Amino acid sequence: MLDDYHYILEHRDLGVAQIPRLFWRAYVSAGVAYYRPLGTASFAIDRSLFHLWAPAYHAHNLLWHL
């Protein structure tokens, strides 16, 4: 939750076309490297479908967990 701004809003390469590339490198934000390829791919899909509408991100995440 606390990294949502950096991980979703600030991540310039987050898009469906970039999904294969997300598996080959970590995303660095504030000096910390994040390597979460499946989570990042999910965020990329969410961003392309829902743009920045947060309730849809939460609903999709809930569906993944169910």
Side-chain angles (χ1 to χ4, degrees), residues 14 19 22 36-47 57 60-61 64:
L14 195 61
I19 288 176
L22 298 172
R36 302 176 191 159
L38 295 177
T40 304
S42 174
F43 288 145
I45 292 167
D46 289 346
R47 190 178 201 181
Y57 281 74
H60 190 223
N61 192 18
W64 277 110

Tab-separated table of all heavy atoms in Angstrom, residues 14 19 22 36-47 57 60-61 64:
chain	number	residue	atom	x	y	z
A	14	LEU	N	5.223	0.860	-17.129
A	14	LEU	CA	4.134	-0.043	-16.780
A	14	LEU	C	3.060	0.009	-17.854
A	14	LEU	O	2.273	0.937	-17.935
A	14	LEU	CB	3.553	0.352	-15.419
A	14	LEU	CG	2.667	-0.670	-14.734
A	14	LEU	CD1	3.441	-1.949	-14.461
A	14	LEU	CD2	2.154	-0.106	-13.431
A	19	ILE	N	5.136	-5.976	-20.758
A	19	ILE	CA	5.096	-7.125	-19.848
A	19	ILE	C	6.273	-8.083	-20.045
A	19	ILE	O	6.910	-8.454	-19.060
A	19	ILE	CB	3.741	-7.857	-19.920
A	19	ILE	CG1	2.669	-7.003	-19.247
A	19	ILE	CG2	3.815	-9.226	-19.249
A	19	ILE	CD1	1.266	-7.565	-19.326
A	22	LEU	N	9.285	-6.788	-18.314
A	22	LEU	CA	9.207	-6.707	-16.858
A	22	LEU	C	9.786	-7.941	-16.177
A	22	LEU	O	10.160	-7.893	-15.015
A	22	LEU	CB	7.752	-6.508	-16.412
A	22	LEU	CG	7.080	-5.233	-16.897
A	22	LEU	CD1	5.599	-5.257	-16.543
A	22	LEU	CD2	7.742	-4.008	-16.308
A	36	ARG	N	9.172	-8.058	-8.879
A	36	ARG	CA	7.891	-8.730	-8.675
A	36	ARG	C	7.235	-8.892	-10.041
A	36	ARG	O	6.294	-8.175	-10.374
A	36	ARG	CB	6.992	-7.888	-7.774
A	36	ARG	CG	7.589	-7.577	-6.435
A	36	ARG	CD	6.653	-6.661	-5.692
A	36	ARG	NE	7.280	-6.127	-4.508
A	36	ARG	CZ	6.890	-5.034	-3.890
A	36	ARG	NH1	5.859	-4.353	-4.342
A	36	ARG	NH2	7.504	-4.624	-2.821
A	37	PRO	N	7.707	-9.821	-10.861
A	37	PRO	CA	7.230	-9.871	-12.239
A	37	PRO	C	5.740	-10.156	-12.379
A	37	PRO	O	5.082	-9.535	-13.212
A	37	PRO	CB	8.076	-10.955	-12.883
A	37	PRO	CG	8.599	-11.771	-11.754
A	37	PRO	CD	8.706	-10.849	-10.582
A	38	LEU	N	5.179	-11.062	-11.608
A	38	LEU	CA	3.755	-11.363	-11.756
A	38	LEU	C	2.888	-10.229	-11.224
A	38	LEU	O	1.886	-9.867	-11.836
A	38	LEU	CB	3.412	-12.680	-11.057
A	38	LEU	CG	4.074	-13.906	-11.667
A	38	LEU	CD1	3.729	-15.151	-10.857
A	38	LEU	CD2	3.669	-14.079	-13.107
A	39	GLY	N	3.289	-9.671	-10.107
A	39	GLY	CA	2.549	-8.523	-9.571
A	39	GLY	C	2.620	-7.328	-10.504
A	39	GLY	O	1.614	-6.640	-10.740
A	40	THR	N	3.793	-7.100	-11.067
A	40	THR	CA	3.958	-5.987	-11.991
A	40	THR	C	3.167	-6.216	-13.264
A	40	THR	O	2.557	-5.286	-13.806
A	40	THR	CB	5.448	-5.778	-12.311
A	40	THR	OG1	6.151	-5.597	-11.083
A	40	THR	CG2	5.661	-4.559	-13.172
A	41	ALA	N	3.135	-7.455	-13.750
A	41	ALA	CA	2.327	-7.761	-14.938
A	41	ALA	C	0.849	-7.514	-14.651
A	41	ALA	O	0.133	-6.965	-15.489
A	41	ALA	CB	2.554	-9.197	-15.373
A	42	SER	N	0.414	-7.886	-13.450
A	42	SER	CA	-0.976	-7.630	-13.063
A	42	SER	C	-1.267	-6.132	-13.026
A	42	SER	O	-2.306	-5.681	-13.513
A	42	SER	CB	-1.254	-8.261	-11.700
A	42	SER	OG	-2.529	-7.919	-11.247
A	43	PHE	N	-0.353	-5.359	-12.458
A	43	PHE	CA	-0.520	-3.906	-12.434
A	43	PHE	C	-0.544	-3.328	-13.848
A	43	PHE	O	-1.272	-2.378	-14.127
A	43	PHE	CB	0.581	-3.223	-11.628
A	43	PHE	CG	0.464	-3.428	-10.147
A	43	PHE	CD1	1.602	-3.549	-9.372
A	43	PHE	CD2	-0.764	-3.486	-9.519
A	43	PHE	CE1	1.512	-3.731	-8.002
A	43	PHE	CE2	-0.866	-3.668	-8.151
A	43	PHE	CZ	0.281	-3.790	-7.393
A	44	ALA	N	0.280	-3.878	-14.747
A	44	ALA	CA	0.302	-3.389	-16.128
A	44	ALA	C	-1.039	-3.633	-16.807
A	44	ALA	O	-1.556	-2.767	-17.523
A	44	ALA	CB	1.430	-4.065	-16.906
A	45	ILE	N	-1.607	-4.800	-16.583
A	45	ILE	CA	-2.920	-5.105	-17.153
A	45	ILE	C	-3.980	-4.188	-16.548
A	45	ILE	O	-4.810	-3.629	-17.255
A	45	ILE	CB	-3.264	-6.588	-16.932
A	45	ILE	CG1	-2.327	-7.457	-17.769
A	45	ILE	CG2	-4.724	-6.859	-17.269
A	45	ILE	CD1	-2.357	-8.923	-17.403
A	46	ASP	N	-3.929	-4.033	-15.221
A	46	ASP	CA	-4.887	-3.147	-14.543
A	46	ASP	C	-4.787	-1.725	-15.068
A	46	ASP	O	-5.805	-1.075	-15.303
A	46	ASP	CB	-4.647	-3.140	-13.033
A	46	ASP	CG	-5.053	-4.430	-12.363
A	46	ASP	OD1	-5.761	-5.229	-12.997
A	46	ASP	OD2	-4.651	-4.634	-11.204
A	47	ARG	N	-3.569	-1.262	-15.235
A	47	ARG	CA	-3.384	0.113	-15.696
A	47	ARG	C	-3.936	0.309	-17.099
A	47	ARG	O	-4.533	1.339	-17.409
A	47	ARG	CB	-1.916	0.496	-15.651
A	47	ARG	CG	-1.675	1.957	-15.884
A	47	ARG	CD	-0.213	2.235	-15.761
A	47	ARG	NE	0.044	3.616	-15.488
A	47	ARG	CZ	1.254	4.105	-15.365
A	47	ARG	NH1	2.301	3.317	-15.448
A	47	ARG	NH2	1.429	5.374	-15.142
A	57	TYR	N	-8.518	-1.629	-9.221
A	57	TYR	CA	-7.296	-2.324	-8.828
A	57	TYR	C	-7.577	-3.219	-7.623
A	57	TYR	O	-7.141	-4.365	-7.567
A	57	TYR	CB	-6.195	-1.327	-8.444
A	57	TYR	CG	-5.476	-0.688	-9.593
A	57	TYR	CD1	-6.067	0.300	-10.361
A	57	TYR	CD2	-4.181	-1.055	-9.906
A	57	TYR	CE1	-5.393	0.908	-11.406
A	57	TYR	CE2	-3.494	-0.455	-10.945
A	57	TYR	CZ	-4.105	0.525	-11.687
A	57	TYR	OH	-3.423	1.109	-12.713
A	60	HIS	N	-9.779	-6.246	-8.632
A	60	HIS	CA	-8.997	-7.245	-9.370
A	60	HIS	C	-8.081	-8.011	-8.433
A	60	HIS	O	-7.927	-9.231	-8.550
A	60	HIS	CB	-8.215	-6.552	-10.491
A	60	HIS	CG	-7.571	-7.500	-11.433
A	60	HIS	ND1	-6.299	-7.324	-11.880
A	60	HIS	CD2	-8.025	-8.642	-12.011
A	60	HIS	CE1	-5.988	-8.313	-12.702
A	60	HIS	NE2	-7.018	-9.123	-12.790
A	61	ASN	N	-7.472	-7.325	-7.509
A	61	ASN	CA	-6.594	-7.973	-6.527
A	61	ASN	C	-7.399	-8.959	-5.675
A	61	ASN	O	-6.940	-10.063	-5.388
A	61	ASN	CB	-5.932	-6.920	-5.645
A	61	ASN	CG	-4.802	-7.495	-4.818
A	61	ASN	OD1	-4.302	-8.556	-5.118
A	61	ASN	ND2	-4.433	-6.787	-3.784
A	64	TRP	N	-7.994	-12.103	-7.656
A	64	TRP	CA	-6.795	-12.936	-7.699
A	64	TRP	C	-6.686	-13.773	-6.433
A	64	TRP	O	-6.297	-14.939	-6.471
A	64	TRP	CB	-5.523	-12.094	-7.845
A	64	TRP	CG	-5.188	-11.683	-9.234
A	64	TRP	CD1	-5.258	-10.413	-9.745
A	64	TRP	CD2	-4.752	-12.510	-10.311
A	64	TRP	NE1	-4.880	-10.418	-11.063
A	64	TRP	CE2	-4.563	-11.694	-11.436
A	64	TRP	CE3	-4.505	-13.865	-10.425
A	64	TRP	CZ2	-4.128	-12.183	-12.660
A	64	TRP	CZ3	-4.076	-14.360	-11.640
A	64	TRP	CH2	-3.888	-13.513	-12.743
